[in-house]
Amino acid sequence: MTDDTKRGRRPKFEEAATIISDQPPLWKRPDNTTLPRLPHSGPGAPDPRAGAEPRRPSPMTDPRVARPTVEYVDMGEPDGDYEETPLNGTAMPRNGNGQGYRAPHPSGFVAPVEAPLQLAAPSPFVHRAAGGVSPDRSIALVHAPDSGAAAQWRLLKFKLKENGDPRVLAITSASQGEGKSVAAANLALSLAEGQRARVVLLEANLRAPALGSLFGLEVPLGLTDQLRRRRRDAESPWELYELASNFFFLPCGRPAENPAAMLGSEQFTGLVRDLRLYYDFVVIDTPGALVAADMNIVQDLVEGVVLVCRSGVSTRSQVQKAIGRLAKHNLVGMVLVEA
């Protein structure tokens, strides 16, 4: 501290500059204000840097920011001291070599050169028109869209959004006959309502498929046949059946002889991966969690699992055992349906 400071007089400019320059660098506070470290701060004094992030380096000193450059452009033979340039239509002086120059960007920086645009790979999916669809009466979103049952499926959609908003969902139950296929169909239709999202309903219950009959749809190539074809020809497209402009369905087709091997194959893993990339939501109907090991395979490929229970059918012990198996694999909710 200088003698002027002790006497209460304002120090000279040089001395004040010395005092400030001896302090640590400025720090940026959460309210975007800056404050130097006070000369008198000591033990017990508040630290103005507490809870703050270091100030970002200046663009002029940050090596990651491109520097202003001068780009010379051949303008042909000079006709005089100044000439209109094709760059921005303003008169610019020439240098001694008869060339014009490009002024730096008004902001003082030159944006880095962007990489050439890469064309997206063609979609591995082909949409087929599904004719003769006659959904079962249990699909409330089709037969009774204004009913209380349809409203409950829409409510489930919003509940899932509040619980992480999973985009790839597996619908399962403790055992067979508890209504998980009906739940998968209604949930997928509720997600597709309003044409705000592209939704795929995938039937991965290769032991006892039921979704095809729920929609009254028979297809020449179901999931099992397409998995076999994909094993022979890795470039063959996946065929999805279009039930609406933004709602697509891939039923199981013929039951598989070895479902666990098919669901654990590289082809099925690639199918789920591609569906996640090209569509907004994927709803997968799976076997019961206690029926076979199939659900253990599928649950590793999804972002959330919904457990369906039927009143009067599901027992307490079965539900508890199913929860124990699914709890560590993104169990996002349970649905209780009436008998």
Side-chain angles (χ1 to χ4, degrees), residues 71 85 102 113 128 139 162 176 204 212-213 248 252 254 301:
E71 180 180 349
T85 72
R102 175 179 291 176
V113 178
R128 304 293 186 194
I139 303 181
E162 295 173 358
Q176 297 291 344
S213 60
F248 308 95
C252 168
R254 294 183 297 175
L301 306 177

Side-chain angles (χ1 to χ4, degrees), residues 113-141:
V113 178
E114 297 182 358
L117 294 176
Q118 300 293 331
L119 295 178
S123 172
F125 298 99
V126 174
H127 298 161
R128 304 293 186 194
V133 179
S134 56
D136 188 79
R137 300 292 301 179
S138 60
I139 303 181
L141 269 295

Side-chain angles (χ1 to χ4, degrees), residues 69-330:
T69 58
V70 174
E71 180 180 349
Y72 289 94
V73 180
D74 185 7
M75 300 177 61
E77 295 296 328
D79 297 328
D81 294 334
Y82 293 89
E83 186 176 277
E84 292 286 319
T85 72
L87 298 175
N88 54 10
T90 59
M92 303 181 66
R94 296 181 176 279
N95 61 12
N97 297 326
Q99 295 178 331
Y101 64 90
R102 175 179 291 176
H105 191 272
S107 65
F109 304 98
V110 176
V113 178
E114 297 182 358
L117 294 176
Q118 300 293 331
L119 295 178
S123 172
F125 298 99
V126 174
H127 298 161
R128 304 293 186 194
V133 179
S134 56
D136 188 79
R137 300 292 301 179
S138 60
I139 303 181
L141 269 295
V142 174
H143 292 285
D146 297 329
S147 64
Q152 292 300 314
W153 292 117
R154 297 186 186 100
L155 180 61
L156 175 61
K157 171 180 65 175
F158 291 112
K159 290 293 184 182
L160 291 172
K161 188 174 183 179
E162 295 173 358
N163 195 5
D165 197 16
R167 299 291 173 156
V168 183
L169 281 163
I171 312 299
T172 189
S173 59
S175 59
Q176 297 291 344
E178 298 188 45
K180 57 180 179 52
S181 297
V182 174
N186 281 290
L187 177 59
L189 286 168
S190 69
L191 292 170
E193 273 190 328
Q195 298 186 349
R196 297 181 180 179
R198 287 158 52 90
V199 181
V200 174
L201 177 60
L202 174 63
E203 185 173 28
N205 186 359
L206 308 186
R207 297 179 182 271
L211 274 177
S213 60
L214 278 177
F215 282 97
L217 181 64
E218 294 184 3
V219 297
L221 283 177
L223 175 61
T224 54
D225 292 326
Q226 294 190 40
L227 287 173
R228 296 188 185 98
R229 183 180 66 176
R230 190 81 173 186
R231 189 183 303 128
R232 296 190 302 266
D233 181 11
E235 300 300 324
S236 61
W238 298 104
E239 297 185 15
L240 305 181
Y241 296 90
E242 184 176 348
L243 303 183
S245 59
N246 64 321
F247 182 61
F248 308 95
F249 179 37
L250 180 52
C252 168
R254 294 183 297 175
E257 298 177 357
N258 191 350
M262 277 197 165
L263 296 177
S265 65
E266 179 183 351
Q267 289 76 27
F268 184 77
T269 302
L271 169 62
V272 177
R273 181 191 62 241
D274 291 342
L275 287 171
R276 179 188 285 110
L277 291 176
Y278 286 89
Y279 298 89
D280 298 307
F281 291 99
V282 182
V283 179
I284 306 177
D285 180 29
T286 65
L290 305 181
V291 174
D294 300 4
M295 184 57 203
N296 296 333
I297 300 173
V298 176
Q299 66 187 358
D300 292 332
L301 306 177
V302 301
E303 300 173 4
V305 179
V306 175
L307 179 63
V308 179
C309 308
R310 180 178 288 275
S311 176
V313 177
S314 306
T315 64
R316 180 186 296 271
S317 60
Q318 288 178 334
V319 173
Q320 290 177 341
K321 190 177 295 184
I323 292 175
R325 289 192 179 185
L326 302 173
K328 60 181 179 179
H329 291 282
N330 300 328

